[in-house]
Amino acid sequence: FAPHLANGATGSPELLPWRSFAPASQLRTYVDAGRLPKGCRSLELGCGNGESLALLASRSSFACGVDVVPASAEDSNRVLREAGVTERGVAVCADVLALPREPLPDGGGWEFDFVFDCQCFHCVRQVPGLDAMELARIYAGLLRPGGRLLLLTGSADEPTARGPERLTREEVLGAFGGLLECEELSATHFDWTPAYKRQGLPDPPLGWLSVWRKPGGATS
């Protein structure tokens, strides 16, 4: 699935190369460390098949997932039902670049305390004709003052010609044009997936893990 590209690839959600069938380990580490604020409203951009979204819904007052692929949004809602968290979570089929403005099921709007993005940003930034600052404004607009974004992108340090879209360290640091403040940036590996294991390499692809804060609000 690559609907952000003019010749976007299609296929079964089960064949997605980045699907690990578990919440992203980087998100679980963040959540288990108690870093989500109490009463947090959370958003996942590119929620895929819902495993990470279900984790967010279990630890947030409300969590919304967004995916442009209808089958992925449907699958995410099924995972939420199976996890018993539908009262606190929902997946919406929508374009990250043109999100709806109607209130969400919890009565709240489209500003969140926490946003998680695993391999969505580095895809949508490839949309032909998209201005980088416009993308930065879209992301910043989804956070309340003091809110945080946990971002997982591909890395140009990956030595093989595989894996997610690759960004340099400088590209990551310049991604939001000063609208968000980078608090942390570190190298990481994406989680193992069936597709990555079939490549026969000793490690899954390299990525960048970064934490961003919108100025204003509480500093904790």
Side-chain angles (χ1 to χ4, degrees), residues 11 23 29 32-33 37 60-62 73 89 98-99 119-121 131 142 165 178 209 216:
T29 297
D32 287 348
S60 306
S61 65
F62 178 76
L99 291 170
Q119 302 204 46
C120 181
F121 176 81
D131 179 73
L142 293 170
E165 176 69 16
L209 178 66

Side-chain angles (χ1 to χ4, degrees), residues 6 22-23 35-36 70 81 110 136 139 150 193:
R35 298 184 67 176
L36 290 183
R81 288 193 298 272
W110 287 83
Y139 272 67
L150 181 64
T193 71

Side-chain angles (χ1 to χ4, degrees), residues 113-205:
D113 304 294
F114 177 75
V115 175
F116 176 56
D117 181 313
C118 178
Q119 302 204 46
C120 181
F121 176 81
H122 67 206
C123 291
V124 295
R125 71 190 291 271
Q126 300 177 70
V127 171
L130 177 64
D131 179 73
M133 279 307 300
E134 178 58 25
L135 182 58
R137 283 190 288 270
I138 289 171
Y139 272 67
L142 293 170
L143 285 168
R144 292 173 174 166
R148 287 182 169 85
L149 164 68
L150 181 64
L151 180 66
L152 187 58
T153 69
S155 171
D157 291 343
E158 167 59 41
T160 62
R162 60 157 182 165
E165 176 69 16
R166 293 180 284 180
L167 279 69
T168 66
R169 180 184 181 90
E170 291 71 24
E171 285 174 324
V172 175
L173 288 172
F176 299 106
L179 299 180
L180 301 178
E181 300 168 347
C182 186
E183 295 184 319
E184 302 171 28
L185 175 61
S186 60
T188 188
H189 282 279
F190 289 96
D191 295 330
W192 279 115
T193 71
Y196 294 155
K197 288 180 179 179
R198 287 194 295 269
Q199 295 172 344
L201 296 170
D203 296 297

Side-chain angles (χ1 to χ4, degrees), residues 1 11-13 48-49 67-78 93:
F1 282 84
S12 166
N49 298 94
D67 204 290
V68 73
V69 179
S72 292
E74 292 170 7
D75 212 23
S76 291
N77 280 315
R78 177 187 58 78
C93 183

